[in-house]
Amino acid sequence: MSKEWEANAGMVHIRMEHKSDHEQVSQLNYEAFGNREDESKLIERIRASEGFIPDRI
């Protein structure tokens, strides 16, 4: 186990999504939803929409 893992065991870190994360987020959703692209495509459409506010959750 890495020292970083040991120091952060039990902790969840939430941060803003970066453009460099998009591909990995897409792949994660693809795999999580049974190897289909629907959810990944929806996220892409939301990001591209005029009303998308990335710093609001």
Side-chain angles (χ1 to χ4, degrees):
M1 194 178 301
S2 74
K3 289 183 181 188
E4 181 179 348
W5 171 257
E6 290 175 14
N8 295 312
M11 303 287 293
V12 175
H13 296 276
I14 300 174
R15 64 168 175 78
M16 294 293 298
E17 178 183 71
H18 302 286
K19 287 186 187 248
S20 61
D21 297 325
H22 290 189
E23 187 174 330
Q24 289 179 320
V25 170
S26 181
Q27 184 64 34
L28 175 70
N29 280 288
Y30 177 78
E31 293 173 14
F33 289 99
N35 296 331
R36 52 183 230 183
E37 295 183 337
D38 297 348
E39 290 76 14
S40 297
K41 296 293 182 187
L42 175 61
I43 293 169
E44 289 174 14
R45 290 179 63 195
I46 291 170
R47 285 184 190 127
S49 72
E50 188 175 305
F52 179 60
I53 303 171
D55 63 342
R56 305 289 166 115
I57 299 175

